[in-house]
Amino acid sequence: RILSGASVNATNEVLVLTSSGKCRNTIYVGTGGVFTAQAGIRVDDNINWVIIDGGVVTNKGDYYNGNRKSNTTGVGATLDIVNGGVLRQIGTLRVSPWYDSKVRVMNGGMLQAGAITIGTDADSGSGSRLIVSNATVTASSLGVPADDRHTSEGVMIYETLGRTTTVLISGGMNLGVYNSSRSGPNNRNNFLNLSGGTFTVGGADTMGNTVIAAHSNNVIRI
């Protein structure tokens, strides 16, 4: 727990939260707390959790929110950026399966990222998503997903009356990308849901492009 006035600097090696059973390893950065990771963050599955609750986190390497090692829970990792918390993500933010890996930016939280990719791990999975509600996300690109064995993954954007939700992708977005050499048509049911808020894509918006097999039911809902 990194609380008001505390500053922690992780150097040289990737910070890893991992567990092989039904344990929850947690990093909590509260209001006034500062955490800097010089080499990246990897949060393995099994209900591991990073909570940026009003604090500021800077990660200068890639961030893996969910990286399958040994899953006994059927639940993936969670990253919460809430209550004015800020994540400055210099490298790529990967919302990877196992199952239900989530990044939630809510209630005044701010995520500033390079690329955001959802469903990028080599293992199969489903349900990984980026959820933005009354908060701000900026990124250079957004991909959902980049492997062929992932279903029901995507982005959910909400706004309640009197609040502001803004998602700005300066480059392009791919919804249902197929980059694998596998021949199965399993990349399907990926989505972008907009319920209020502002979503801006500066580059191309591609849905369901394919190398080997067709896709099905990749949907944008407004």
Side-chain angles (χ1 to χ4, degrees):
R1 295 176 65 85
I2 304 172
L3 305 178
S4 180
S7 179
V8 176
N9 186 23
T11 61
N12 299 327
E13 295 184 3
V14 174
L15 172 71
V16 179
L17 289 185
T18 186
S19 64
S20 59
K22 296 180 180 180
C23 301
R24 172 175 287 171
N25 295 310
T26 302
I27 293 178
Y28 178 91
V29 186
T31 300
V34 177
F35 178 71
T36 302
Q38 301 290 347
I41 298 173
R42 193 189 85 204
V43 183
D44 290 348
D45 298 314
N46 296 308
I47 58 177
N48 294 303
W49 198 7
V50 174
I51 308 167
I52 307 172
D53 184 6
V56 177
V57 174
T58 301
N59 180 33
K60 297 183 179 180
D62 288 347
Y63 192 118
Y64 287 86
N65 188 68
N67 185 47
R68 182 184 175 189
K69 293 298 176 183
S70 57
N71 190 296
T72 61
T73 65
V75 179
T78 298
L79 166 63
D80 281 343
I81 308 168
V82 298
N83 300 326
V86 177
L87 172 59
R88 298 188 178 103
Q89 173 58 36
I90 307 304
T92 298
L93 174 64
R94 293 180 167 87
V95 189
S96 303
W98 184 236
Y99 287 101
D100 297 326
S101 295
K102 293 181 177 64
V103 172
R104 300 183 292 200
V105 190
M106 309 177 81
N107 298 328
M110 179 179 292
L111 168 61
Q112 301 170 334
I116 298 175
T117 55
I118 301 175
T120 60
D121 192 84
D123 296 299
S124 60
S126 64
S128 296
R129 53 197 61 180
L130 168 67
I131 301 169
V132 186
S133 176
N134 306 323
T136 301
V137 172
T138 60
S140 61
S141 63
L142 176 63
V144 187
D147 188 76
D148 67 314
R149 291 167 286 181
H150 308 297
T151 64
S152 302
E153 299 182 323
V155 179
M156 305 172 72
I157 299 173
Y158 299 94
E159 185 176 88
T160 57
L161 186 63
R163 306 291 296 274
T164 300
T165 299
T166 302
V167 178
L168 173 61
I169 308 301
S170 59
M173 181 184 80
N174 289 306
L175 182 66
V177 186
Y178 192 104
N179 288 332
S180 175
S181 60
R182 287 164 49 87
S183 59
N186 295 322
N187 185 322
R188 62 188 184 274
N189 301 327
N190 300 302
F191 59 85
L192 168 66
N193 291 346
L194 301 176
S195 179
T198 301
F199 180 76
T200 304
V201 177
D205 179 3
T206 304
M207 293 182 66
N209 59 313
T210 181
V211 175
I212 301 295
H215 302 276
S216 61
N217 302 328
N218 295 313
V219 177
I220 294 178
R221 300 181 182 91
I222 302 175

